[in-house]
């Protein structure tokens, strides 16, 4: 029963596909990042966090692969030990045939008793076993089983322990896959902020403080990242026009983008055009005067 159960487990787990969502230049899917203070504006740290998440996933994946390989070895040992029992049955059948042959050939009672009491290791029985195409592995398995008492029990215990480790490692890998997705998203936003910072410095604009940005958002949308203007022309916390949103790399409706993306793209827009997108006689007055 153990062999059947373990084989079923291997069939169920052997084909599991694990997340391979390493950062590769494509836009990652927005996810809710669980970290308390993600490094949205620290590209170097964001990249280090991503590398650490990928390394953790790869370490667990290697451990899972080793566990599955070791489980296969233990299952193979169990099959080999099962061959011992099969071999014994075949040898017993051949022994019975030999008894009958000896008796029909006129063998006396002493010969009959001798044959009945002989072990599987007698030359006669081994010759018959080989003629009956009993695998040579039976010899090795019998030797291992008889010379190491309790081998089956220890093998079964190892197999059960390894079998139990497979779902645990799978669950850990699933957790690291989620961590990689979060880290990829943080890197993506950090890259936008890094671009904004470099362009802002190049264009000589003053860096707004967090209070400046908050005042701008409150003026534009009462700090509501899901806001949509009544006339259907402006969206999100910074009231982007869809056309302007696309010029800074945004996709879809700005109001549907996560707050961290709206913040980063607003910074990029400011880095390129200063306060011009937000007229100074209205909400733009909350931004630094360049």
């Amino acid at each position: 029963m153990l062999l059947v159960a373990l084989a079923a487990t291997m069939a169920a787990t052997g084909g599991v596909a694990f997340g391979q969502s390493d950062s590769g230049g494509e836009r990652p899917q927005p996810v809710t990042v669980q970290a308390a203070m993600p490094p949205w504006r620290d590209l170097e740290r964001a990249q280090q966090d991503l590398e650490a998440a990928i390394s953790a996933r790869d370490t667990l994946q290697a451990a899972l692969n080793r566990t599955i390989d070791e489980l296969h070895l233990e299952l193979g040992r169990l099959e080999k030990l099962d061959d011992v029992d099969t071999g014994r049955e075949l040898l017993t059948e051949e022994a019975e045939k030999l008894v009958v042959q000896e008796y029909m050939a006129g063998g006396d009672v002493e010969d009959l008793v001798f044959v009945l009491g002989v072990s599987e290791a007698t030359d006669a029985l081994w010759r018959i076993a080989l003629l009956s195409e009993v695998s040579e592995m039976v010899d090795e398995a019998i030797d291992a089983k008889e010379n190491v008492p309790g081998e089956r029990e220890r093998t079964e215990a190892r197999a059960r322990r390894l079998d139990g480790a497979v779902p645990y490692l799978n669950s850990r890998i699933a957790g690291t896959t989620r961590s990689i997705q979060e880290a990829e998203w943080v890197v993506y936003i950090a890259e936008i902020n890094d671009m904004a910072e470099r362009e802002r410095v190049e264009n000589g604009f003053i860096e707004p403080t967090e209070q400046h940005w908050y005042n701008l958002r409150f003026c534009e949308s009462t700090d509501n990242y899901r806001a949509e203007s009544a006339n259907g022309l402006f969206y999100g916390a910074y009231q982007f026009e869809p056309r302007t949103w696309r010029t800074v790399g945004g996709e879809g409706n700005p109001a549907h983008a996560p707050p961290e993306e709206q913040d980063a793209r607003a910074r990029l827009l400011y880095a390129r055009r200063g306060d011009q997108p937000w007229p100074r006689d209205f909400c733009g007055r909350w931004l630094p005067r360049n």
Side-chain angles (χ1 to χ4, degrees):
M1 291 299 293
L2 174 65
L3 185 60
V4 173
L6 291 176
T9 300
M10 290 301 298
T13 61
V16 174
F18 303 104
Q20 302 291 331
S21 56
D22 300 354
S23 181
E26 296 183 0
R27 174 190 173 96
Q29 291 299 312
V31 294
T32 300
V33 179
Q34 298 175 354
M37 297 182 63
W40 299 118
R41 299 189 185 183
D42 188 338
L43 180 58
E44 181 178 358
R45 181 186 153 198
Q47 290 172 333
Q48 290 172 349
D49 290 348
L50 175 57
E51 291 171 2
I54 293 172
S55 178
R57 190 275 315 278
D58 291 346
T59 298
L60 288 169
Q61 184 67 62
L64 176 64
N65 292 341
R66 288 194 303 271
T67 299
I68 291 176
D69 288 343
E70 292 175 11
L71 181 54
H72 276 301
L73 289 175
E74 298 304 330
L75 291 176
R77 290 190 181 98
L78 286 175
E79 290 177 350
K80 195 172 183 181
L81 291 171
D82 287 339
D83 286 342
V84 172
D85 298 329
T86 301
R88 289 184 188 280
E89 292 175 4
L90 291 173
L91 291 171
T92 300
E93 293 176 4
E94 294 300 334
E96 291 174 353
K97 292 178 184 179
L98 181 60
V99 167
V100 173
Q101 291 172 2
E102 289 288 328
Y103 184 76
M104 297 299 293
D108 57 26
V109 175
E110 289 183 1
D111 292 334
L112 184 60
V113 171
F114 171 76
V115 172
L116 284 173
V118 97
S119 69
E120 290 89 339
T122 54
D123 293 338
L125 288 181
W126 280 121
R127 286 197 297 272
I128 293 173
L130 292 172
L131 290 173
S132 302
E133 297 182 354
V134 176
S135 170
E136 293 181 0
M137 287 193 302
V138 173
D139 187 18
E140 300 174 5
I142 287 177
D143 183 65
K145 183 177 180 181
E146 293 186 346
N147 290 323
V148 185
E151 179 65 18
R152 176 182 291 278
E153 290 75 13
R154 282 190 291 271
T155 300
E156 289 180 347
R158 287 193 297 267
R160 289 185 187 279
R161 187 166 57 252
L162 292 166
D163 186 52
V166 170
Y168 169 74
L169 289 170
N170 271 327
S171 67
R172 290 286 305 279
I173 289 171
T176 58
T177 299
R178 170 70 185 185
S179 296
I180 289 172
Q181 292 172 342
E182 293 181 9
E184 285 178 332
W185 179 245
V186 174
V187 167
Y188 180 72
I189 299 302
E191 288 174 339
I192 300 171
N193 279 309
D194 184 70
M195 183 187 305
E197 177 62 17
R198 286 185 282 106
E199 294 192 23
R200 182 192 65 78
V201 172
E202 181 180 339
N203 291 327
F205 294 134
I206 299 171
E207 170 71 0
T209 65
E210 290 304 316
Q211 188 64 50
H212 285 134
W213 287 117
Y214 173 78
N215 291 341
L216 175 65
R217 290 194 304 272
F218 194 85
C219 177
E220 291 283 357
S221 64
T222 64
D223 199 28
N224 179 6
Y225 284 88
R226 306 291 289 179
E228 299 189 14
S229 66
N231 59 12
L233 297 178
F234 305 100
Y235 302 87
Y238 300 91
Q239 291 292 277
F240 274 98
E241 290 182 305
R243 178 179 57 187
T244 305
W245 176 251
R246 289 192 295 271
T247 66
V248 288
E251 296 179 1
N253 187 334
H256 295 169
E260 61 270 13
E261 183 176 3
Q262 293 187 42
D263 291 344
R265 298 202 186 282
R267 291 188 73 223
L268 183 57
L269 180 61
Y270 175 85
R272 292 174 176 176
R273 298 170 57 187
D275 59 13
Q276 187 272 330
W278 300 279
R280 291 209 64 84
D281 58 355
F282 191 49
C283 292
R285 69 183 184 275
W286 295 108
L287 290 172
R289 183 178 296 275
N290 291 292

